[in-house]
């Protein structure tokens, strides 16, 4: 970057400190989601039973969230913190559900199965990966459309603040390579973000 005619090179980021948030001894799997005050995560209990739990961003006791879903996996939290996107393990993928944080019944998002998903802008839609393709759908499952073929399983979806592009990761199992990809919200201009 240039600043007042002086050339500066960007330095690699480094971790300055970390804080342990839980100490319950249970295994944690899958993605983390946050609403800014709580962190939502998946715990594996004895007998390979998975639950969704939450903890304050300052740490403390992990509190399970009561869900009416058999094999839940938290996938994302809405920006306003009022809803969670939950996957229910169906054997060959996740059925997708929107669960109000304050309680109540979850609502099914369409009938497709996904291997990962995230909320779209404003939580009005859901973006998900199924096989090697990326789809977008309304929360009720209507207007589902294929955005692009990623070539590999796509996961960890995140939209830019202006919702014009989204990024996600793909993993190429044959060469043991993970890449961060970017696409416009419409699924065009699909590209790898960083080389090497």
């Amino acid at each position: 970057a240039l600043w007042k005619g002086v050339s500066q090179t960007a330095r690699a980021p480094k971790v300055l400190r970390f804080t342990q948030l839980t100490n319950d001894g249970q295994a944690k799997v899958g993605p983390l989601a946050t609403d800014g005050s709580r962190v939502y995560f998946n715990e594996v209990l004895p007998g390979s039973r998975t639950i969704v739990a939450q903890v304050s961003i300052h740490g403390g006791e992990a509190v399970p969230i009561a869900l009416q879903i058999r094999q839940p996996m938290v996938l994302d939290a809405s920006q306003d913190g009022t809803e969670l996107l939950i996957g229910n393990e169906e054997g060959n993928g996740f059925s997708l559900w929107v669960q109000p944080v304050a309680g109540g019944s979850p609502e099914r998002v369409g009938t497709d199965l996904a291997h990962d998903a995230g909320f779209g802008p404003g939580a009005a839609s859901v973006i998900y990966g199924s096989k090697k393709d990326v789809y977008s759908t309304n929360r009720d499952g209507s207007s589902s459309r294929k955005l692009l073929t990623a070539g590999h399983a796509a996961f960890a979806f995140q939209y830019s603040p202006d919702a014009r592009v989204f990024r996600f990761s793909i993993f190429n199992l044959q060469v043991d390579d993970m890449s961060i990809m970017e696409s416009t919200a419409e699924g065009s201009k699909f590209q790898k973000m960083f080389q090497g």
Side-chain angles (χ1 to χ4, degrees), residues 139-176:
R139 289 172 47 133
D140 64 1
S142 66
S143 300
S144 181
R145 64 186 179 99
K146 180 178 164 181
L147 296 176
L148 57 91
T149 296
H152 303 282
F155 61 97
F157 300 99
Q158 288 291 315
Y159 277 87
S160 62
D162 64 8
R164 291 175 31 187
V165 299
F166 66 93
R167 289 184 179 170
F168 58 97
S169 296
I170 59 171
F171 183 71
N172 183 340
L173 188 60
Q174 286 116 355
V175 294
D176 193 27

PDB file of all heavy atoms in Angstrom, residues 139-176:
ATOM      1  N   ARG A 139     -36.720 -19.002   1.661  1.00  0.00           N
ATOM      2  CA  ARG A 139     -36.790 -19.736   2.931  1.00  0.00           C
ATOM      3  C   ARG A 139     -37.835 -20.839   2.933  1.00  0.00           C
ATOM      4  O   ARG A 139     -37.682 -21.833   3.627  1.00  0.00           O
ATOM      5  CB  ARG A 139     -37.058 -18.772   4.073  1.00  0.00           C
ATOM      6  CG  ARG A 139     -35.861 -17.914   4.375  1.00  0.00           C
ATOM      7  CD  ARG A 139     -36.219 -16.856   5.349  1.00  0.00           C
ATOM      8  NE  ARG A 139     -36.962 -17.385   6.469  1.00  0.00           N
ATOM      9  CZ  ARG A 139     -36.707 -17.117   7.721  1.00  0.00           C
ATOM     10  NH1 ARG A 139     -35.721 -16.304   8.015  1.00  0.00           N
ATOM     11  NH2 ARG A 139     -37.435 -17.600   8.686  1.00  0.00           N
ATOM     12  N   ASP A 140     -38.883 -20.695   2.155  1.00  0.00           N
ATOM     13  CA  ASP A 140     -39.908 -21.742   2.109  1.00  0.00           C
ATOM     14  C   ASP A 140     -39.578 -22.826   1.080  1.00  0.00           C
ATOM     15  O   ASP A 140     -40.354 -23.746   0.871  1.00  0.00           O
ATOM     16  CB  ASP A 140     -41.285 -21.146   1.837  1.00  0.00           C
ATOM     17  CG  ASP A 140     -41.389 -20.476   0.469  1.00  0.00           C
ATOM     18  OD1 ASP A 140     -40.401 -20.484  -0.304  1.00  0.00           O
ATOM     19  OD2 ASP A 140     -42.473 -19.939   0.167  1.00  0.00           O
ATOM     20  N   GLY A 141     -38.425 -22.695   0.429  1.00  0.00           N
ATOM     21  CA  GLY A 141     -38.008 -23.682  -0.568  1.00  0.00           C
ATOM     22  C   GLY A 141     -38.456 -23.343  -1.975  1.00  0.00           C
ATOM     23  O   GLY A 141     -38.085 -24.023  -2.926  1.00  0.00           O
ATOM     24  N   SER A 142     -39.222 -22.283  -2.138  1.00  0.00           N
ATOM     25  CA  SER A 142     -39.675 -21.894  -3.470  1.00  0.00           C
ATOM     26  C   SER A 142     -38.565 -21.158  -4.217  1.00  0.00           C
ATOM     27  O   SER A 142     -37.618 -20.665  -3.613  1.00  0.00           O
ATOM     28  CB  SER A 142     -40.922 -21.004  -3.377  1.00  0.00           C
ATOM     29  OG  SER A 142     -40.608 -19.776  -2.763  1.00  0.00           O
ATOM     30  N   SER A 143     -38.700 -21.111  -5.512  1.00  0.00           N
ATOM     31  CA  SER A 143     -37.750 -20.403  -6.386  1.00  0.00           C
ATOM     32  C   SER A 143     -36.319 -20.907  -6.232  1.00  0.00           C
ATOM     33  O   SER A 143     -35.371 -20.133  -6.329  1.00  0.00           O
ATOM     34  CB  SER A 143     -37.805 -18.892  -6.155  1.00  0.00           C
ATOM     35  OG  SER A 143     -39.093 -18.405  -6.413  1.00  0.00           O
ATOM     36  N   SER A 144     -36.158 -22.190  -5.991  1.00  0.00           N
ATOM     37  CA  SER A 144     -34.816 -22.767  -5.911  1.00  0.00           C
ATOM     38  C   SER A 144     -34.169 -22.699  -7.287  1.00  0.00           C
ATOM     39  O   SER A 144     -34.796 -23.031  -8.292  1.00  0.00           O
ATOM     40  CB  SER A 144     -34.899 -24.217  -5.429  1.00  0.00           C
ATOM     41  OG  SER A 144     -33.609 -24.762  -5.322  1.00  0.00           O
ATOM     42  N   ARG A 145     -32.914 -22.236  -7.313  1.00  0.00           N
ATOM     43  CA  ARG A 145     -32.221 -22.169  -8.602  1.00  0.00           C
ATOM     44  C   ARG A 145     -30.740 -22.458  -8.423  1.00  0.00           C
ATOM     45  O   ARG A 145     -30.125 -22.098  -7.412  1.00  0.00           O
ATOM     46  CB  ARG A 145     -32.427 -20.824  -9.269  1.00  0.00           C
ATOM     47  CG  ARG A 145     -31.841 -19.661  -8.527  1.00  0.00           C
ATOM     48  CD  ARG A 145     -32.247 -18.348  -9.207  1.00  0.00           C
ATOM     49  NE  ARG A 145     -31.708 -17.231  -8.473  1.00  0.00           N
ATOM     50  CZ  ARG A 145     -30.603 -16.566  -8.792  1.00  0.00           C
ATOM     51  NH1 ARG A 145     -29.924 -16.899  -9.862  1.00  0.00           N
ATOM     52  NH2 ARG A 145     -30.185 -15.555  -8.061  1.00  0.00           N
ATOM     53  N   LYS A 146     -30.205 -23.140  -9.404  1.00  0.00           N
ATOM     54  CA  LYS A 146     -28.780 -23.450  -9.407  1.00  0.00           C
ATOM     55  C   LYS A 146     -27.998 -22.191  -9.773  1.00  0.00           C
ATOM     56  O   LYS A 146     -28.280 -21.549 -10.779  1.00  0.00           O
ATOM     57  CB  LYS A 146     -28.505 -24.569 -10.411  1.00  0.00           C
ATOM     58  CG  LYS A 146     -27.054 -24.978 -10.491  1.00  0.00           C
ATOM     59  CD  LYS A 146     -26.921 -26.126 -11.471  1.00  0.00           C
ATOM     60  CE  LYS A 146     -25.499 -26.335 -11.890  1.00  0.00           C
ATOM     61  NZ  LYS A 146     -25.393 -27.438 -12.862  1.00  0.00           N
ATOM     62  N   LEU A 147     -27.039 -21.820  -8.917  1.00  0.00           N
ATOM     63  CA  LEU A 147     -26.208 -20.649  -9.194  1.00  0.00           C
ATOM     64  C   LEU A 147     -24.975 -21.008  -9.999  1.00  0.00           C
ATOM     65  O   LEU A 147     -24.576 -20.278 -10.899  1.00  0.00           O
ATOM     66  CB  LEU A 147     -25.785 -19.981  -7.886  1.00  0.00           C
ATOM     67  CG  LEU A 147     -26.896 -19.388  -7.028  1.00  0.00           C
ATOM     68  CD1 LEU A 147     -26.330 -18.844  -5.730  1.00  0.00           C
ATOM     69  CD2 LEU A 147     -27.638 -18.301  -7.794  1.00  0.00           C
ATOM     70  N   LEU A 148     -24.337 -22.135  -9.655  1.00  0.00           N
ATOM     71  CA  LEU A 148     -23.112 -22.511 -10.334  1.00  0.00           C
ATOM     72  C   LEU A 148     -22.730 -23.948 -10.009  1.00  0.00           C
ATOM     73  O   LEU A 148     -23.234 -24.535  -9.056  1.00  0.00           O
ATOM     74  CB  LEU A 148     -21.961 -21.569  -9.956  1.00  0.00           C
ATOM     75  CG  LEU A 148     -21.590 -21.427  -8.476  1.00  0.00           C
ATOM     76  CD1 LEU A 148     -20.516 -22.416  -8.059  1.00  0.00           C
ATOM     77  CD2 LEU A 148     -21.112 -20.015  -8.206  1.00  0.00           C
ATOM     78  N   THR A 149     -21.837 -24.496 -10.812  1.00  0.00           N
ATOM     79  CA  THR A 149     -21.213 -25.788 -10.536  1.00  0.00           C
ATOM     80  C   THR A 149     -19.809 -25.499 -10.040  1.00  0.00           C
ATOM     81  O   THR A 149     -19.000 -24.909 -10.761  1.00  0.00           O
ATOM     82  CB  THR A 149     -21.181 -26.671 -11.796  1.00  0.00           C
ATOM     83  OG1 THR A 149     -22.533 -26.955 -12.169  1.00  0.00           O
ATOM     84  CG2 THR A 149     -20.446 -27.979 -11.537  1.00  0.00           C
ATOM     85  N   ALA A 150     -19.530 -25.887  -8.807  1.00  0.00           N
ATOM     86  CA  ALA A 150     -18.239 -25.584  -8.184  1.00  0.00           C
ATOM     87  C   ALA A 150     -17.167 -26.597  -8.545  1.00  0.00           C
ATOM     88  O   ALA A 150     -15.986 -26.329  -8.374  1.00  0.00           O
ATOM     89  CB  ALA A 150     -18.404 -25.525  -6.663  1.00  0.00           C
ATOM     90  N   GLY A 151     -17.545 -27.778  -9.014  1.00  0.00           N
ATOM     91  CA  GLY A 151     -16.567 -28.808  -9.360  1.00  0.00           C
ATOM     92  C   GLY A 151     -16.215 -29.715  -8.202  1.00  0.00           C
ATOM     93  O   GLY A 151     -15.744 -30.825  -8.390  1.00  0.00           O
ATOM     94  N   HIS A 152     -16.427 -29.237  -6.979  1.00  0.00           N
ATOM     95  CA  HIS A 152     -16.184 -29.985  -5.745  1.00  0.00           C
ATOM     96  C   HIS A 152     -17.241 -29.548  -4.734  1.00  0.00           C
ATOM     97  O   HIS A 152     -17.960 -28.589  -4.963  1.00  0.00           O
ATOM     98  CB  HIS A 152     -14.780 -29.705  -5.192  1.00  0.00           C
ATOM     99  CG  HIS A 152     -13.688 -30.012  -6.172  1.00  0.00           C
ATOM    100  ND1 HIS A 152     -13.265 -31.288  -6.422  1.00  0.00           N
ATOM    101  CD2 HIS A 152     -12.969 -29.207  -6.980  1.00  0.00           C
ATOM    102  CE1 HIS A 152     -12.312 -31.260  -7.337  1.00  0.00           C
ATOM    103  NE2 HIS A 152     -12.112 -29.994  -7.702  1.00  0.00           N
ATOM    104  N   ALA A 153     -17.307 -30.231  -3.611  1.00  0.00           N
ATOM    105  CA  ALA A 153     -18.277 -29.875  -2.575  1.00  0.00           C
ATOM    106  C   ALA A 153     -17.990 -28.470  -2.048  1.00  0.00           C
ATOM    107  O   ALA A 153     -16.879 -28.167  -1.631  1.00  0.00           O
ATOM    108  CB  ALA A 153     -18.223 -30.887  -1.436  1.00  0.00           C
ATOM    109  N   ALA A 154     -19.007 -27.606  -2.076  1.00  0.00           N
ATOM    110  CA  ALA A 154     -18.878 -26.215  -1.626  1.00  0.00           C
ATOM    111  C   ALA A 154     -19.439 -26.088  -0.211  1.00  0.00           C
ATOM    112  O   ALA A 154     -20.446 -26.694   0.123  1.00  0.00           O
ATOM    113  CB  ALA A 154     -19.628 -25.289  -2.569  1.00  0.00           C
ATOM    114  N   PHE A 155     -18.766 -25.295   0.621  1.00  0.00           N
ATOM    115  CA  PHE A 155     -19.188 -25.113   2.009  1.00  0.00           C
ATOM    116  C   PHE A 155     -18.717 -23.764   2.530  1.00  0.00           C
ATOM    117  O   PHE A 155     -17.981 -23.055   1.857  1.00  0.00           O
ATOM    118  CB  PHE A 155     -18.659 -26.255   2.893  1.00  0.00           C
ATOM    119  CG  PHE A 155     -17.159 -26.357   2.924  1.00  0.00           C
ATOM    120  CD1 PHE A 155     -16.435 -25.789   3.951  1.00  0.00           C
ATOM    121  CD2 PHE A 155     -16.466 -27.027   1.919  1.00  0.00           C
ATOM    122  CE1 PHE A 155     -15.049 -25.872   3.980  1.00  0.00           C
ATOM    123  CE2 PHE A 155     -15.077 -27.113   1.944  1.00  0.00           C
ATOM    124  CZ  PHE A 155     -14.368 -26.534   2.980  1.00  0.00           C
ATOM    125  N   ALA A 156     -19.162 -23.400   3.734  1.00  0.00           N
ATOM    126  CA  ALA A 156     -18.766 -22.155   4.418  1.00  0.00           C
ATOM    127  C   ALA A 156     -19.145 -20.917   3.605  1.00  0.00           C
ATOM    128  O   ALA A 156     -18.316 -20.069   3.305  1.00  0.00           O
ATOM    129  CB  ALA A 156     -17.272 -22.164   4.758  1.00  0.00           C
ATOM    130  N   PHE A 157     -20.418 -20.794   3.292  1.00  0.00           N
ATOM    131  CA  PHE A 157     -20.918 -19.687   2.473  1.00  0.00           C
ATOM    132  C   PHE A 157     -21.003 -18.398   3.284  1.00  0.00           C
ATOM    133  O   PHE A 157     -21.509 -18.390   4.394  1.00  0.00           O
ATOM    134  CB  PHE A 157     -22.315 -20.033   1.941  1.00  0.00           C
ATOM    135  CG  PHE A 157     -22.336 -21.270   1.092  1.00  0.00           C
ATOM    136  CD1 PHE A 157     -22.723 -22.483   1.629  1.00  0.00           C
ATOM    137  CD2 PHE A 157     -21.957 -21.218  -0.234  1.00  0.00           C
ATOM    138  CE1 PHE A 157     -22.743 -23.631   0.854  1.00  0.00           C
ATOM    139  CE2 PHE A 157     -21.971 -22.370  -1.020  1.00  0.00           C
ATOM    140  CZ  PHE A 157     -22.368 -23.572  -0.473  1.00  0.00           C
ATOM    141  N   GLN A 158     -20.542 -17.290   2.697  1.00  0.00           N
ATOM    142  CA  GLN A 158     -20.633 -15.971   3.322  1.00  0.00           C
ATOM    143  C   GLN A 158     -20.839 -14.917   2.246  1.00  0.00           C
ATOM    144  O   GLN A 158     -20.093 -14.872   1.271  1.00  0.00           O
ATOM    145  CB  GLN A 158     -19.349 -15.626   4.086  1.00  0.00           C
ATOM    146  CG  GLN A 158     -19.149 -16.407   5.357  1.00  0.00           C
ATOM    147  CD  GLN A 158     -20.152 -16.016   6.421  1.00  0.00           C
ATOM    148  OE1 GLN A 158     -20.408 -14.848   6.647  1.00  0.00           O
ATOM    149  NE2 GLN A 158     -20.736 -17.010   7.066  1.00  0.00           N
ATOM    150  N   TYR A 159     -21.856 -14.069   2.432  1.00  0.00           N
ATOM    151  CA  TYR A 159     -22.088 -12.951   1.519  1.00  0.00           C
ATOM    152  C   TYR A 159     -21.290 -11.741   1.970  1.00  0.00           C
ATOM    153  O   TYR A 159     -21.036 -11.547   3.154  1.00  0.00           O
ATOM    154  CB  TYR A 159     -23.577 -12.586   1.486  1.00  0.00           C
ATOM    155  CG  TYR A 159     -24.378 -13.452   0.558  1.00  0.00           C
ATOM    156  CD1 TYR A 159     -24.910 -14.657   0.992  1.00  0.00           C
ATOM    157  CD2 TYR A 159     -24.594 -13.073  -0.768  1.00  0.00           C
ATOM    158  CE1 TYR A 159     -25.641 -15.462   0.139  1.00  0.00           C
ATOM    159  CE2 TYR A 159     -25.328 -13.870  -1.629  1.00  0.00           C
ATOM    160  CZ  TYR A 159     -25.842 -15.066  -1.173  1.00  0.00           C
ATOM    161  OH  TYR A 159     -26.558 -15.858  -2.017  1.00  0.00           O
ATOM    162  N   SER A 160     -20.937 -10.888   1.008  1.00  0.00           N
ATOM    163  CA  SER A 160     -20.306  -9.611   1.321  1.00  0.00           C
ATOM    164  C   SER A 160     -21.347  -8.720   1.987  1.00  0.00           C
ATOM    165  O   SER A 160     -22.548  -8.935   1.829  1.00  0.00           O
ATOM    166  CB  SER A 160     -19.765  -8.955   0.049  1.00  0.00           C
ATOM    167  OG  SER A 160     -20.830  -8.679  -0.847  1.00  0.00           O
ATOM    168  N   PRO A 161     -20.913  -7.686   2.736  1.00  0.00           N
ATOM    169  CA  PRO A 161     -21.882  -6.790   3.394  1.00  0.00           C
ATOM    170  C   PRO A 161     -22.877  -6.149   2.424  1.00  0.00           C
ATOM    171  O   PRO A 161     -24.031  -5.926   2.780  1.00  0.00           O
ATOM    172  CB  PRO A 161     -20.997  -5.739   4.063  1.00  0.00           C
ATOM    173  CG  PRO A 161     -19.706  -6.449   4.309  1.00  0.00           C
ATOM    174  CD  PRO A 161     -19.534  -7.378   3.130  1.00  0.00           C
ATOM    175  N   ASP A 162     -22.467  -5.885   1.186  1.00  0.00           N
ATOM    176  CA  ASP A 162     -23.389  -5.284   0.217  1.00  0.00           C
ATOM    177  C   ASP A 162     -24.188  -6.339  -0.556  1.00  0.00           C
ATOM    178  O   ASP A 162     -24.985  -5.994  -1.425  1.00  0.00           O
ATOM    179  CB  ASP A 162     -22.640  -4.364  -0.749  1.00  0.00           C
ATOM    180  CG  ASP A 162     -21.625  -5.090  -1.621  1.00  0.00           C
ATOM    181  OD1 ASP A 162     -21.580  -6.355  -1.612  1.00  0.00           O
ATOM    182  OD2 ASP A 162     -20.869  -4.405  -2.328  1.00  0.00           O
ATOM    183  N   ALA A 163     -23.980  -7.621  -0.265  1.00  0.00           N
ATOM    184  CA  ALA A 163     -24.703  -8.758  -0.861  1.00  0.00           C
ATOM    185  C   ALA A 163     -24.495  -8.894  -2.365  1.00  0.00           C
ATOM    186  O   ALA A 163     -25.243  -9.598  -3.031  1.00  0.00           O
ATOM    187  CB  ALA A 163     -26.195  -8.679  -0.531  1.00  0.00           C
ATOM    188  N   ARG A 164     -23.475  -8.262  -2.916  1.00  0.00           N
ATOM    189  CA  ARG A 164     -23.222  -8.354  -4.362  1.00  0.00           C
ATOM    190  C   ARG A 164     -22.431  -9.599  -4.727  1.00  0.00           C
ATOM    191  O   ARG A 164     -22.520 -10.073  -5.854  1.00  0.00           O
ATOM    192  CB  ARG A 164     -22.520  -7.104  -4.847  1.00  0.00           C
ATOM    193  CG  ARG A 164     -23.463  -5.911  -4.793  1.00  0.00           C
ATOM    194  CD  ARG A 164     -22.859  -4.591  -5.126  1.00  0.00           C
ATOM    195  NE  ARG A 164     -21.774  -4.643  -6.080  1.00  0.00           N
ATOM    196  CZ  ARG A 164     -21.026  -3.600  -6.388  1.00  0.00           C
ATOM    197  NH1 ARG A 164     -21.275  -2.443  -5.838  1.00  0.00           N
ATOM    198  NH2 ARG A 164     -20.053  -3.711  -7.253  1.00  0.00           N
ATOM    199  N   VAL A 165     -21.629 -10.124  -3.797  1.00  0.00           N
ATOM    200  CA  VAL A 165     -20.850 -11.340  -4.043  1.00  0.00           C
ATOM    201  C   VAL A 165     -20.944 -12.248  -2.820  1.00  0.00           C
ATOM    202  O   VAL A 165     -21.312 -11.810  -1.731  1.00  0.00           O
ATOM    203  CB  VAL A 165     -19.361 -11.040  -4.349  1.00  0.00           C
ATOM    204  CG1 VAL A 165     -19.207 -10.193  -5.594  1.00  0.00           C
ATOM    205  CG2 VAL A 165     -18.667 -10.390  -3.178  1.00  0.00           C
ATOM    206  N   PHE A 166     -20.626 -13.508  -3.020  1.00  0.00           N
ATOM    207  CA  PHE A 166     -20.496 -14.419  -1.890  1.00  0.00           C
ATOM    208  C   PHE A 166     -19.224 -15.231  -2.069  1.00  0.00           C
ATOM    209  O   PHE A 166     -18.720 -15.393  -3.180  1.00  0.00           O
ATOM    210  CB  PHE A 166     -21.732 -15.324  -1.731  1.00  0.00           C
ATOM    211  CG  PHE A 166     -21.954 -16.306  -2.843  1.00  0.00           C
ATOM    212  CD1 PHE A 166     -21.440 -17.601  -2.773  1.00  0.00           C
ATOM    213  CD2 PHE A 166     -22.701 -15.957  -3.957  1.00  0.00           C
ATOM    214  CE1 PHE A 166     -21.656 -18.505  -3.797  1.00  0.00           C
ATOM    215  CE2 PHE A 166     -22.932 -16.862  -4.978  1.00  0.00           C
ATOM    216  CZ  PHE A 166     -22.403 -18.141  -4.902  1.00  0.00           C
ATOM    217  N   ARG A 167     -18.702 -15.690  -0.960  1.00  0.00           N
ATOM    218  CA  ARG A 167     -17.512 -16.533  -0.958  1.00  0.00           C
ATOM    219  C   ARG A 167     -17.841 -17.854  -0.283  1.00  0.00           C
ATOM    220  O   ARG A 167     -18.741 -17.943   0.539  1.00  0.00           O
ATOM    221  CB  ARG A 167     -16.351 -15.844  -0.240  1.00  0.00           C
ATOM    222  CG  ARG A 167     -15.802 -14.678  -1.023  1.00  0.00           C
ATOM    223  CD  ARG A 167     -14.601 -14.071  -0.372  1.00  0.00           C
ATOM    224  NE  ARG A 167     -14.122 -12.960  -1.200  1.00  0.00           N
ATOM    225  CZ  ARG A 167     -13.199 -12.108  -0.816  1.00  0.00           C
ATOM    226  NH1 ARG A 167     -12.640 -12.217   0.370  1.00  0.00           N
ATOM    227  NH2 ARG A 167     -12.824 -11.138  -1.617  1.00  0.00           N
ATOM    228  N   PHE A 168     -17.081 -18.847  -0.651  1.00  0.00           N
ATOM    229  CA  PHE A 168     -17.244 -20.171  -0.079  1.00  0.00           C
ATOM    230  C   PHE A 168     -15.945 -20.934  -0.277  1.00  0.00           C
ATOM    231  O   PHE A 168     -15.042 -20.475  -0.977  1.00  0.00           O
ATOM    232  CB  PHE A 168     -18.426 -20.913  -0.717  1.00  0.00           C
ATOM    233  CG  PHE A 168     -18.310 -21.081  -2.214  1.00  0.00           C
ATOM    234  CD1 PHE A 168     -17.821 -22.259  -2.755  1.00  0.00           C
ATOM    235  CD2 PHE A 168     -18.704 -20.066  -3.069  1.00  0.00           C
ATOM    236  CE1 PHE A 168     -17.710 -22.414  -4.133  1.00  0.00           C
ATOM    237  CE2 PHE A 168     -18.609 -20.216  -4.443  1.00  0.00           C
ATOM    238  CZ  PHE A 168     -18.110 -21.390  -4.978  1.00  0.00           C
ATOM    239  N   SER A 169     -15.833 -22.065   0.348  1.00  0.00           N
ATOM    240  CA  SER A 169     -14.653 -22.906   0.211  1.00  0.00           C
ATOM    241  C   SER A 169     -15.012 -24.168  -0.545  1.00  0.00           C
ATOM    242  O   SER A 169     -16.155 -24.625  -0.501  1.00  0.00           O
ATOM    243  CB  SER A 169     -14.094 -23.273   1.592  1.00  0.00           C
ATOM    244  OG  SER A 169     -13.647 -22.124   2.270  1.00  0.00           O
ATOM    245  N   ILE A 170     -14.028 -24.711  -1.242  1.00  0.00           N
ATOM    246  CA  ILE A 170     -14.171 -26.028  -1.850  1.00  0.00           C
ATOM    247  C   ILE A 170     -12.962 -26.855  -1.443  1.00  0.00           C
ATOM    248  O   ILE A 170     -11.882 -26.319  -1.171  1.00  0.00           O
ATOM    249  CB  ILE A 170     -14.303 -25.985  -3.389  1.00  0.00           C
ATOM    250  CG1 ILE A 170     -13.081 -25.328  -4.037  1.00  0.00           C
ATOM    251  CG2 ILE A 170     -15.586 -25.306  -3.809  1.00  0.00           C
ATOM    252  CD1 ILE A 170     -13.052 -25.443  -5.551  1.00  0.00           C
ATOM    253  N   PHE A 171     -13.162 -28.158  -1.375  1.00  0.00           N
ATOM    254  CA  PHE A 171     -12.065 -29.066  -1.043  1.00  0.00           C
ATOM    255  C   PHE A 171     -11.936 -30.090  -2.145  1.00  0.00           C
ATOM    256  O   PHE A 171     -12.882 -30.802  -2.459  1.00  0.00           O
ATOM    257  CB  PHE A 171     -12.314 -29.760   0.300  1.00  0.00           C
ATOM    258  CG  PHE A 171     -11.180 -30.650   0.705  1.00  0.00           C
ATOM    259  CD1 PHE A 171      -9.974 -30.107   1.105  1.00  0.00           C
ATOM    260  CD2 PHE A 171     -11.314 -32.029   0.662  1.00  0.00           C
ATOM    261  CE1 PHE A 171      -8.912 -30.920   1.473  1.00  0.00           C
ATOM    262  CE2 PHE A 171     -10.262 -32.845   1.024  1.00  0.00           C
ATOM    263  CZ  PHE A 171      -9.061 -32.293   1.430  1.00  0.00           C
ATOM    264  N   ASN A 172     -10.749 -30.136  -2.763  1.00  0.00           N
ATOM    265  CA  ASN A 172     -10.450 -31.107  -3.803  1.00  0.00           C
ATOM    266  C   ASN A 172      -9.754 -32.283  -3.136  1.00  0.00           C
ATOM    267  O   ASN A 172      -8.576 -32.209  -2.798  1.00  0.00           O
ATOM    268  CB  ASN A 172      -9.566 -30.479  -4.878  1.00  0.00           C
ATOM    269  CG  ASN A 172      -9.275 -31.413  -6.023  1.00  0.00           C
ATOM    270  OD1 ASN A 172      -9.392 -32.632  -5.899  1.00  0.00           O
ATOM    271  ND2 ASN A 172      -8.892 -30.843  -7.149  1.00  0.00           N
ATOM    272  N   LEU A 173     -10.484 -33.355  -2.914  1.00  0.00           N
ATOM    273  CA  LEU A 173      -9.977 -34.526  -2.208  1.00  0.00           C
ATOM    274  C   LEU A 173      -8.844 -35.210  -2.966  1.00  0.00           C
ATOM    275  O   LEU A 173      -7.910 -35.732  -2.359  1.00  0.00           O
ATOM    276  CB  LEU A 173     -11.122 -35.515  -1.968  1.00  0.00           C
ATOM    277  CG  LEU A 173     -10.846 -36.718  -1.098  1.00  0.00           C
ATOM    278  CD1 LEU A 173     -10.420 -36.290   0.299  1.00  0.00           C
ATOM    279  CD2 LEU A 173     -12.070 -37.612  -1.019  1.00  0.00           C
ATOM    280  N   GLN A 174      -8.894 -35.197  -4.311  1.00  0.00           N
ATOM    281  CA  GLN A 174      -7.875 -35.891  -5.101  1.00  0.00           C
ATOM    282  C   GLN A 174      -6.478 -35.316  -4.901  1.00  0.00           C
ATOM    283  O   GLN A 174      -5.492 -36.044  -4.914  1.00  0.00           O
ATOM    284  CB  GLN A 174      -8.221 -35.876  -6.590  1.00  0.00           C
ATOM    285  CG  GLN A 174      -9.340 -36.818  -6.935  1.00  0.00           C
ATOM    286  CD  GLN A 174     -10.557 -36.083  -7.451  1.00  0.00           C
ATOM    287  OE1 GLN A 174     -10.606 -34.853  -7.478  1.00  0.00           O
ATOM    288  NE2 GLN A 174     -11.564 -36.834  -7.841  1.00  0.00           N
ATOM    289  N   VAL A 175      -6.370 -34.015  -4.726  1.00  0.00           N
ATOM    290  CA  VAL A 175      -5.047 -33.395  -4.551  1.00  0.00           C
ATOM    291  C   VAL A 175      -4.873 -32.779  -3.172  1.00  0.00           C
ATOM    292  O   VAL A 175      -3.899 -32.074  -2.923  1.00  0.00           O
ATOM    293  CB  VAL A 175      -4.763 -32.340  -5.651  1.00  0.00           C
ATOM    294  CG1 VAL A 175      -4.663 -32.993  -7.007  1.00  0.00           C
ATOM    295  CG2 VAL A 175      -5.796 -31.239  -5.640  1.00  0.00           C
ATOM    296  N   ASP A 176      -5.828 -33.035  -2.245  1.00  0.00           N
ATOM    297  CA  ASP A 176      -5.768 -32.531  -0.879  1.00  0.00           C
ATOM    298  C   ASP A 176      -5.556 -31.012  -0.869  1.00  0.00           C
ATOM    299  O   ASP A 176      -4.629 -30.502  -0.270  1.00  0.00           O
ATOM    300  CB  ASP A 176      -4.671 -33.250  -0.090  1.00  0.00           C
ATOM    301  CG  ASP A 176      -4.776 -32.983   1.407  1.00  0.00           C
ATOM    302  OD1 ASP A 176      -5.899 -32.715   1.884  1.00  0.00           O
ATOM    303  OD2 ASP A 176      -3.745 -33.020   2.099  1.00  0.00           O
TER     304      ASP A 176
END
